[in-house]
Amino acid sequence: MTPQAKSARSVLLGSAALALGLLAAPLLAEEKPKDHTDGPAAAYEPSMTTLGQLKVEIPGRKADDPVMTAEEFQQATTIYFERCAGCHGVLRKGATGKPLTTDITRENGYDYLQSFITYGSPAGMPNWGTSGALSEGEVDMMARYLLLEPPQPPEWGMPEMMASWKVLVKPEDRPKEKMNDIDIDNLMSVTLRDAGQVALIDGASYEIKAVIDTGYAVHISRISASGRYLFVIGRDGLVNMIDLWMETPATVASIKIGIEARSIETSKFEGWEDKLAIAGAYWPPQYVIMDGETLEPKKIVSTRGNIYDEQVYHPEPRVASILSSHYKPEFIVNVKETGKIIFVDYTDLKNLKTVEIEAERFLHDGGFDSSKRYFMVAANQRGKIAVVDTKEDKLTALVETGGQTPHPGRGANINHPVYGPVWATSHLGDESVALIGTDPEGHPDQAWKVVDSFYALGGGSLFIKTHPSSQHLYVDAPLNPDAAVSSAVAVFDIAAMGGDPNVDPEFKTLPIGEWAGIADGQPRVVQPEFNKDGTEVWFSVWNAKDKESAIVVVDDKTLELKTVIKDPRLITPTGKFNVLNTKDDIY
Ligand code: DHE
């Protein structure tokens, strides 16, 4: 079956997985959108929660402005940043959703806005009113709010960064050798999302070695090239640098690099190990290069600029994933709204050289192929994977996956029995898994093409994972609306994958949520991650903040349950980052 034919069977997710189209089309009764809820699927569009906490004032009032008190304006701004800005942009100039600038909103008028916010649209605007997510009063307030000029959130430049920068333990006061008996390569840094912490869990004993306070709604962990320093970033832009050599690993430096942020990475090229770190922000739209031992900010680069194809100015292109090249002393920075992949040469920050690649809009997450030469990144709202060659600094291909909203995490590299080396992605918007050939020399006919596409458990997948020493491919589906699906994982036997695109490989379903034995709540199973040897795979069983969560460890050979890690400190575990695999980009 071709991916296109197969997509007819695909299960579409709720409206929030799609671009919002507030002013796109009139609402037809028979096309009433599905109820919008506040579940993780709906919340998957970026929520600018930190911006939502800013204190704002009504910008320059006009004579015919709707009546709005300062308190209402503040409340409406919080709602707007948390729920609307992810799609419509902080400045309301549009991102995946339509622009909501006052020239447009005033033209359409209060009644139109009130009705759209209440009922939503088939194009993807959630029905905030009829779903009960916003009260009648809040809908009225938001309609009036959109008729006023938007507040401009502050910038975050060098003075603000310097004021936030702390070196808690100076490099000269840090241990000269490892002071603990932890097998660092087998340590797992686990995001405790709603606690604003990471847990460091020993891969052999499953013991929690430390729980460390980090930024708000902490997001990802990355590891320095030597494996000594762990870098963690919160959605509030707070970066924690943790020294894993200390008797009990702890933060040695921290800095706030922006007001909303998602990505962090460190220099990995030979001779540059542990020298620099880089972080990317959603607001202000910028990336920051820092000293790799102290986090001292060295260089801030704005990503504001023109969209690659239309060549129209975009005021807030967010920095999505950042990777560190293994081929050159370069960072690979993915800029979402302008669709540009920027290679940043970090050898001379005073005379910064960058290569700007025209890729595709809405770049999000991605990883390397197995040779680590090619970087594959999802332009998720465009259904494509952009492939860039980190040796030549060039765009290699744009591959349509055939599925809806590819979301690979860092993807999975498989040695396919028929097609050779391929890289896999699953999808947020449907149940398909796409395999893309990555071996232009050994398998030139398959290179940068979807060689096969088949079904996993269901739509709502976020992460897919394998390991060079594993024969299995794991696919999660945490955002699937069906609780039985969102709490399980599909496992494919790589050796049994055939060459007939009409025959879908079979998969086993592991009831990870059930294995966790949690009675209360409806936990979702998210992000498979291997231990250092590739013999075990860990899954987060992600429950509500006030309910029990767990980590389930599965034996990769037998696919049987090995252990369940439970601890009252494991609040909302989501991402897990094994030190060795993360450092060496093994996936
Ligand atoms: Fe993530 C990676 C952005 C919601 C867990 N997430 C990423 C990356 C980006 C991103 C840009 C790539 C970072 C890199 O490689 O440098 N994530 C966003 C959002 O904008 C979004 C959609 C909404 C938001 O408001 O933040 C979002 N992410 C989530 C979640 O809700 C998840 C599931 C749970 C959580 O902890 O927040 C989540 N994101 C992750 C994880 C990774 C990630 C675990 C790293 C995957 C990996 O294997 O490297």
Side-chain angles (χ1 to χ4, degrees):
M1 236 185 290
T2 64
Q4 283 75 14
K6 288 173 177 181
S7 71
R9 269 178 50 191
S10 68
V11 179
L12 273 181
L13 277 178
S15 49
L18 305 169
L20 303 195
L22 176 56
L23 302 173
L27 182 73
L28 305 174
E30 64 273 21
E31 290 177 303
K32 234 175 176 237
K34 288 195 193 105
D35 264 3
H36 175 74
T37 62
D38 266 350
Y44 202 70
E45 285 293 351
S47 171
M48 312 291 245
T49 36
T50 322
L51 281 177
Q53 290 158 19
L54 291 176
K55 293 275 158 284
V56 291
E57 280 171 20
I58 303 180
R61 271 185 179 277
K62 295 193 185 112
D64 55 349
D65 273 352
V67 178
M68 191 156 221
T69 64
E71 291 75 42
E72 281 181 317
F73 190 79
Q74 182 69 51
Q75 275 174 32
T77 303
T78 304
I79 293 178
Y80 181 82
F81 283 145
E82 287 181 356
R83 302 191 172 207
C84 320
C87 292
H88 297 285
V90 169
L91 303 173
R92 295 204 223 135
K93 299 242 166 104
T96 51
K98 300 275 172 195
L100 294 172
T101 42
T102 49
D103 52 332
I104 300 170
T105 56
R106 284 178 170 239
E107 174 79 28
N108 286 290
Y110 172 88
D111 291 343
Y112 190 90
L113 292 168
Q114 197 263 359
S115 149
F116 252 100
I117 301 169
T118 304
Y119 298 109
S121 87
M125 170 71 177
N127 54 333
W128 296 103
T130 50
S131 69
L134 294 182
S135 68
E136 217 174 292
E138 283 171 331
V139 171
D140 159 64
M141 180 174 75
M142 294 313 290
R144 284 181 287 135
Y145 176 76
L146 293 175
L147 295 166
L148 292 169
E149 292 300 330
Q152 166 90 30
E155 297 297 317
W156 196 265
M158 196 51 93
E160 292 81 10
M161 269 185 225
M162 288 304 284
S164 75
W165 175 46
K166 291 184 194 133
V167 179
L168 303 166
V169 186
K170 290 192 194 126
E172 57 271 29
D173 299 335
R174 294 180 198 159
K176 304 284 172 270
E177 56 189 32
K178 188 157 85 76
M179 302 300 287
N180 56 50
D181 59 0
I182 302 171
D183 175 3
I184 290 181
D185 278 352
N186 205 21
L187 199 64
M188 198 72 89
S189 174
V190 180
T191 297
L192 303 178
R193 191 188 194 279
D194 295 351
Q197 294 175 323
V198 289
L200 304 184
I201 306 184
D202 180 60
S205 65
Y206 313 119
E207 193 190 318
I208 299 178
K209 294 286 183 187
V211 174
I212 298 168
D213 288 339
T214 58
Y216 173 80
V218 54
H219 196 213
I220 66 163
S221 295
R222 296 290 188 239
I223 313 282
S224 75
S226 73
R228 172 174 181 172
Y229 292 111
L230 174 73
F231 294 83
V232 182
I233 191 153
R235 280 177 168 78
D236 56 358
L238 184 70
V239 175
N240 282 69
M241 179 178 169
I242 296 160
D243 185 355
L244 300 176
W245 278 13
M246 290 164 82
E247 208 174 319
T248 304
T251 298
V252 288
S254 67
I255 188 168
K256 188 166 154 63
I257 61 92
I259 301 175
E260 280 282 344
R262 300 292 183 275
S263 47
I264 177 92
E265 185 52 289
T266 76
S267 53
K268 291 188 177 167
F269 190 67
E270 213 185 315
W272 288 89
E273 295 92 342
D274 295 19
K275 291 271 189 299
L276 296 168
I278 180 171
Y282 273 12
W283 187 272
Q286 62 192 20
Y287 60 88
V288 184
I289 300 175
M290 297 160 280
D291 183 273
E293 288 220 300
T294 63
L295 291 181
E296 180 185 0
K298 300 267 182 205
K299 182 100 187 170
I300 307 172
V301 183
S302 170
T303 51
R304 291 182 170 113
N306 289 351
I307 301 169
Y308 87 95
D309 51 356
E310 293 166 2
Q311 315 238 0
V312 170
Y313 181 73
H314 198 290
E316 47 175 303
R318 294 173 264 208
V319 176
S321 46
I322 302 182
L323 275 89
S324 194
S325 173
H326 295 268
Y327 269 82
K328 290 183 179 177
E330 288 178 345
F331 292 123
I332 306 158
V333 177
N334 295 279
V335 189
K336 207 180 261 278
E337 282 76 15
T338 49
K340 293 173 181 173
I341 301 174
I342 303 170
F343 291 93
V344 181
D345 179 335
Y346 50 68
T347 55
D348 182 359
L349 299 183
K350 286 260 172 269
N351 303 284
L352 194 74
K353 286 191 212 74
T354 58
V355 175
E356 184 185 284
I357 306 230
E358 294 181 5
E360 183 53 284
R361 292 174 73 174
F362 311 122
L363 299 170
H364 190 73
D365 54 349
F368 289 108
D369 76 309
S370 56
S371 74
K372 297 179 193 164
R373 172 171 171 176
Y374 298 96
F375 168 60
M376 328 264 297
V377 56
N380 56 14
Q381 302 286 344
R382 292 284 159 98
K384 290 182 192 162
I385 299 294
V387 186
V388 288
D389 180 349
T390 65
K391 191 171 170 198
E392 302 291 339
D393 287 5
K394 278 195 175 133
L395 180 71
T396 303
L398 284 171
V399 185
E400 265 189 62
T401 65
Q404 305 223 14
T405 324
H407 193 286
R410 285 167 287 169
N413 285 297
I414 297 170
N415 199 3
H416 191 281
V418 179
Y419 305 116
V422 301
W423 178 91
T425 183
S426 55
H427 294 82
L428 187 52
D430 66 35
E431 73 241 84
S432 67
V433 171
L435 305 185
I436 297 172
T438 58
D439 183 20
E441 277 165 25
H443 297 79
D445 293 346
Q446 276 86 37
W448 323 126
K449 288 179 192 143
V450 174
V451 295
D452 198 8
S453 170
F454 48 79
Y455 298 115
L457 268 182
S461 176
L462 289 178
F463 301 106
I464 183 165
K465 196 58 66 79
T466 189
H467 185 277
S469 53
S470 167
Q471 262 309 306
H472 291 127
L473 173 71
Y474 297 84
V475 186
D476 70 7
L479 299 190
N480 194 285
D482 181 339
V485 175
S486 67
S487 66
V489 156
V491 191
F492 292 87
D493 179 356
I494 295 169
M497 286 182 180
D500 182 349
N502 292 310
V503 179
D504 278 356
E506 287 183 3
F507 62 85
K508 282 195 180 134
T509 303
L510 304 185
I512 303 287
E514 205 181 300
W515 287 351
I518 292 171
D520 195 14
Q522 214 187 77
R524 291 159 195 275
V525 170
V526 68
Q527 208 236 10
E529 176 79 355
F530 276 86
N531 65 346
K532 77 163 179 193
D533 297 328
T535 53
E536 288 174 358
V537 56
W538 295 32
F539 300 91
S540 298
V541 182
W542 172 21
N543 211 344
K545 192 174 165 179
D546 56 349
K547 299 204 161 42
E548 186 178 50
S549 287
I551 292 181
V552 166
V553 181
V554 171
D555 184 312
D556 175 62
K557 274 239 149 37
T558 62
L559 300 183
E560 279 167 11
L561 173 67
K562 200 149 183 191
T563 196
V564 179
I565 310 174
K566 281 190 186 169
D567 189 291
R569 291 170 292 174
L570 288 182
I571 297 165
T572 58
T574 54
K576 297 162 300 307
F577 305 88
N578 164 268
V579 166
L580 185 75
N581 296 334
T582 307
K583 164 172 90 74
D584 291 347
D585 287 296
I586 299 170
Y587 32 79

